Amino acid sequence: MPPKQQQVVNVIKDEEQFLNLISSENKKLVLLDVHPDWCGPCEMMHPTYKTLQTSIDDFEKRVDIYTLGYSKIVTYKHDKFNREPSSKPRFVFYQEGRLVDEVQGADIPAIIERVYKYLPMVY
């Protein structure tokens, strides 16, 4: 029986988890799906995330994918997201504590391109 794969997308539960993800200590690429709480296009991204998980060697060691609702950003009072919430999802890419890129809207080819562009070596 093949080993069980981890869940691809995780929900950020609290501010401490959020800060740990975007910390310079985290060597993985962090893809953060920031969206309105009712976002339908975000749900449609799950097959894309699953495809990335199965096509990238050592995915679990190299990439973290999380979702974060706009309501949580207000709660966290952070300037990491200095834009007003919109009805479009925003896909934000962090690497070693730095915001390196973002994609507005559920543009699957652009998101996949960014993941491969910033994919770190295996640590």
Side-chain angles (χ1 to χ4, degrees), residues 15 31 34 37 41-43 56 66 71 76 91 98 102 108:
E15 185 174 16
L31 168 51
V34 184
D37 296 329
C42 300
E43 293 299 318
I56 294 174
Y66 281 84
S71 61
Y76 297 165
F91 300 87
R98 293 177 298 123
E102 67 181 80
I108 293 171

Side-chain angles (χ1 to χ4, degrees), residues 41-81:
C42 300
E43 293 299 318
M44 295 184 339
M45 291 300 299
H46 288 273
T48 300
Y49 298 148
K50 191 69 172 168
T51 299
L52 286 168
Q53 180 188 35
T54 58
S55 64
I56 294 174
D57 291 337
D58 293 318
F59 178 87
E60 292 81 10
K61 295 178 182 176
R62 301 168 79 188
V63 181
D64 281 331
I65 300 176
Y66 281 84
T67 64
L68 178 62
Y70 283 136
S71 61
K72 292 285 188 189
I73 295 170
V74 173
T75 303
Y76 297 165
K77 300 178 184 108
H78 263 276
D79 62 353
K80 297 286 185 185
F81 303 98

Side-chain angles (χ1 to χ4, degrees), residues 22-52:
I22 63 170
S23 151
S24 61
E25 302 298 315
N26 185 1
K27 302 301 182 195
K28 295 181 183 181
L29 173 65
V30 176
L31 168 51
L32 192 55
D33 177 345
V34 184
H35 59 274
D37 296 329
W38 49 263
C39 183
C42 300
E43 293 299 318
M44 295 184 339
M45 291 300 299
H46 288 273
T48 300
Y49 298 148
K50 191 69 172 168
T51 299
L52 286 168

Side-chain angles (χ1 to χ4, degrees), residues 6 10-11 16-17 20-21 29 39 44 49-50 56 60-61 63-64 67 78 83 88 91 95 99 107 116-117 120 122:
Q6 76 173 26
N10 298 289
V11 177
E16 182 179 353
Q17 181 185 24
N20 285 334
L21 279 173
L29 173 65
C39 183
M44 295 184 339
Y49 298 148
K50 191 69 172 168
I56 294 174
E60 292 81 10
K61 295 178 182 176
V63 181
D64 281 331
T67 64
H78 263 276
R83 296 196 178 104
K88 282 185 175 181
F91 300 87
Q95 204 163 37
L99 174 68
D107 183 346
Y116 281 102
K117 178 178 180 179
V122 177

